Amino acid sequence: MEAGILTLDDFDFHDKTVILRVDINSPIDHKTGRLANDNRIRKSLPTIKELSEAGARVVMLAHQGDIEDYHNLIPLEIHAQRLAELLGRPVAFIDDIVGPAALQRVKELRAGDLLLLNNVRYLTEEVSTFVQFVKLTPEQLAKTWLVRNLAPLADYYVCEAFAAAHRYTPSLVGFAEVLPSAGGRLFIEEFGALVRVKENPKHPCVYVLGGARIADAFSMMEQVLSEGTADYVLTSGLNGEVMLLAKGYALGEPTERIIHEKGLTPFVARAQQLLQRYGDKILYPIDVAIDDQGRKEIGLEDLPTERLIVDIGQQTIARYITVIQQAATIFVNGPAGIYEDPLSAVGTEKLWKAIADAPGYSVIGGGDSVAAGAKFGVLERMGYVCTSGGGMVRFLSGQELPVVEALRRAAQRYQKTDKE
Ligand code: 3PG
């Protein structure tokens, strides 16, 4: 037991069916349709291997993409292939999740077999609960189609998806209500590392927040700034652009259209409130790079621009690096631009290198942020590399993680039953 959660050491998996929820949500190279980075897959290997070698029949559930990230909502066949390559053993894949074909396949598994079901986010109940359109109790999550049909075929539930521990869904919370449940090796390791960092972050504490999915960044900024956990927030990516809009800068049609199409317009008002309250702590871009038949940098006085803003500019980078160099703790989530494209990679590359070189303790998380760190060869010099992005951010900003709560409840229930 670790932090109130049962671990793999608590069960004998031999000849048992285990539902293993992994988080192998990975960046995809859309030109080739292949995985652009397999960090999360690699990090899941020890638990998968351990369960298989213990003689479990392993049924893996995972997600890829989501409604905000629709172009990444793809089948998991390429993930199964990569798992098989890395493990050196077959990993079966079925284009079904909980229909008759999937259930039959689960029943046919033998000790040690590995099966990956298809993307759970093809299920409405998984998506509507994760974005909280539908709020269910844990007991109701246990009665969803997925859990109702799959759980009776299983003996145990193991959650290795720390990166999705902030999501309240059937595949992440529901099974723990009805099966003896444990955290996988990576789940326990990441949770432990973040607990240590959260308990006593050294100041100045700087949050570097970019990326395109800014809802999490906003909730976190509101929390860490009001609590005084963050001394500075360095904004970039769409987060930085929304800050500029909140400051009254018109960005130009192409950039504003993207912000509007992504449904981010309401964040402008939230950004205004944050800037009013914590204006000296929130840094926003003072220059930007645009795509003008190549990278071109312009100052805020040149806005609006008819070209798309793709990155932060050199002056912003220099200003942010000064803050990073003086920080004692640095949390990083979300790149400054599209780091795969040389046109828009400069901000991310320079910031990430500065973070790796800075004397402060750095924690980097999130699929894209970690993939960018791997591309620029700096991950080894970061303090802790977390597979989790949104989950890390929420946990560090003081929110409960529903999956941690579910596994703790499961541990209490299991011990009680055990004693009786
Ligand atoms: C992530 O990429 O942060 C995790 O896989 C969770 O994904 P989500 O934010 O789409 O739930």
Side-chain angles (χ1 to χ4, degrees):
M1 176 105 84
E2 296 269 350
I5 297 174
L6 297 172
T7 74
L8 299 190
D9 299 326
D10 290 295
F11 301 132
D12 176 3
F13 292 104
H14 183 70
D15 217 18
K16 302 284 191 219
T17 300
V18 179
I19 293 173
L20 173 63
R21 176 57 159 99
V22 284
D23 188 329
I24 49 176
N25 186 21
S26 304
I28 305 296
D29 178 340
H30 289 282
K31 287 193 195 110
T32 61
R34 298 167 69 152
L35 296 165
N37 177 282
D38 61 7
N39 175 55
R40 282 187 174 152
I41 295 181
R42 288 177 185 273
K43 293 265 194 152
S44 310
L45 296 177
T47 288
I48 298 172
K49 220 165 150 212
E50 187 173 337
L51 287 171
S52 170
E53 284 171 2
R57 299 180 285 266
V58 185
V59 181
M60 288 179 278
L61 287 173
H63 73 274
Q64 169 69 47
D66 63 46
I67 49 173
E68 283 177 19
D69 192 17
Y70 186 74
H71 64 302
N72 280 331
L73 188 79
I74 59 167
L76 300 182
E77 193 164 11
I78 53 174
H79 302 66
Q81 283 162 0
R82 181 61 58 88
L83 277 169
E85 277 161 30
L86 294 170
L87 288 163
R89 70 183 73 179
V91 175
F93 169 77
I94 182 162
D95 182 14
D96 187 13
I97 308 162
V98 64
L103 298 182
Q104 185 55 34
R105 196 68 176 268
V106 170
K107 288 181 196 153
E108 287 164 8
L109 291 175
R110 289 161 310 164
D113 280 356
L114 298 167
L115 169 67
L116 178 63
L117 301 176
N118 210 350
N119 191 345
V120 288
R121 290 211 176 144
Y122 289 148
L123 298 179
T124 306
E125 59 186 15
E126 186 76 11
V127 174
S128 53
T129 49
F130 111 83
V131 288
Q132 305 252 310
F133 289 147
V134 177
K135 291 196 190 353
L136 298 181
T137 62
E139 296 75 29
Q140 288 169 325
L141 283 178
K143 290 189 182 128
T144 49
W145 188 51
L146 177 71
V147 182
R148 206 171 61 230
N149 285 290
L150 212 45
L153 304 185
D155 301 285
Y156 296 112
Y157 172 70
V158 173
C159 189
E160 186 63 319
F162 187 74
H166 56 305
R167 299 301 187 195
Y168 185 78
T169 76
S171 76
L172 289 155
V173 171
F175 290 105
E177 294 301 315
V178 291
L179 291 172
S181 301
R185 298 295 181 204
L186 178 68
F187 192 103
I188 300 288
E189 180 197 298
E190 293 209 342
F191 184 51
L194 290 186
V195 168
R196 283 191 293 279
V197 174
K198 179 172 176 268
E199 272 167 10
N200 206 3
K202 292 210 174 86
H203 291 270
C205 179
V206 174
Y207 283 69
V208 181
L209 300 178
R213 302 168 63 193
I214 66 174
D216 285 345
F218 265 77
S219 311
M220 189 188 60
M221 283 190 285
E222 282 155 2
Q223 182 102 10
V224 293
L225 287 165
S226 64
E227 279 176 359
T229 316
D231 298 294
Y232 290 104
V233 177
L234 311 182
T235 64
S236 62
L238 289 180
N239 194 14
E241 288 164 19
V242 167
M243 289 293 162
L244 287 175
L245 284 173
K247 289 297 286 184
Y249 291 98
L251 303 180
E253 196 274 330
T255 308
E256 290 186 22
R257 179 160 34 88
I258 288 183
I259 289 171
H260 180 70
E261 281 172 4
K262 285 187 175 281
L264 303 181
T265 311
F267 287 102
V268 176
R270 279 171 76 178
Q272 271 162 348
Q273 285 169 5
L274 278 173
L275 286 163
Q276 264 160 23
R277 265 186 236 147
Y278 311 105
D280 52 337
K281 297 187 168 189
I282 302 173
L283 274 59
Y284 54 85
I286 50 175
D287 61 346
V288 294
I290 56 172
D291 181 359
D292 190 4
Q293 293 170 333
R295 183 184 173 97
K296 184 176 163 205
E297 301 205 356
I298 59 170
L300 299 187
E301 64 284 2
D302 298 320
L303 291 173
T305 167
E306 287 313 304
R307 302 286 172 178
L308 185 66
I309 298 176
V310 292
D311 195 5
I312 52 176
Q314 297 290 349
Q315 290 178 44
T316 309
I317 295 170
R319 185 164 183 230
Y320 285 6
I321 288 178
T322 308
V323 178
I324 287 166
Q325 282 167 341
Q326 288 161 6
T329 312
I330 310 158
F331 294 116
V332 190
N333 184 232
I338 299 173
Y339 65 89
E340 296 96 333
D341 182 348
L343 189 78
S344 48
V346 179
T348 309
E349 179 165 9
K350 291 203 168 168
L351 292 185
W352 267 220
K353 287 186 171 160
I355 293 161
D357 292 339
Y361 182 68
S362 52
V363 179
I364 181 168
D368 281 334
S369 302
V370 172
K375 180 171 158 72
F376 302 131
V378 297
L379 284 186
E380 293 69 32
R381 289 183 286 129
M382 298 283 187
Y384 187 74
V385 179
C386 200
T387 57
S388 168
M392 170 186 90
V393 158
R394 280 163 202 231
F395 180 67
L396 293 176
S397 49
Q399 296 177 32
E400 303 281 2
L401 295 176
V403 181
V404 169
E405 298 305 307
L407 291 175
R408 284 182 172 154
R409 278 196 303 276
Q412 281 168 5
R413 226 177 357 249
Y414 181 72
Q415 283 170 331
K416 215 166 137 209
T417 323
D418 220 25
K419 275 190 209 130
E420 280 164 4

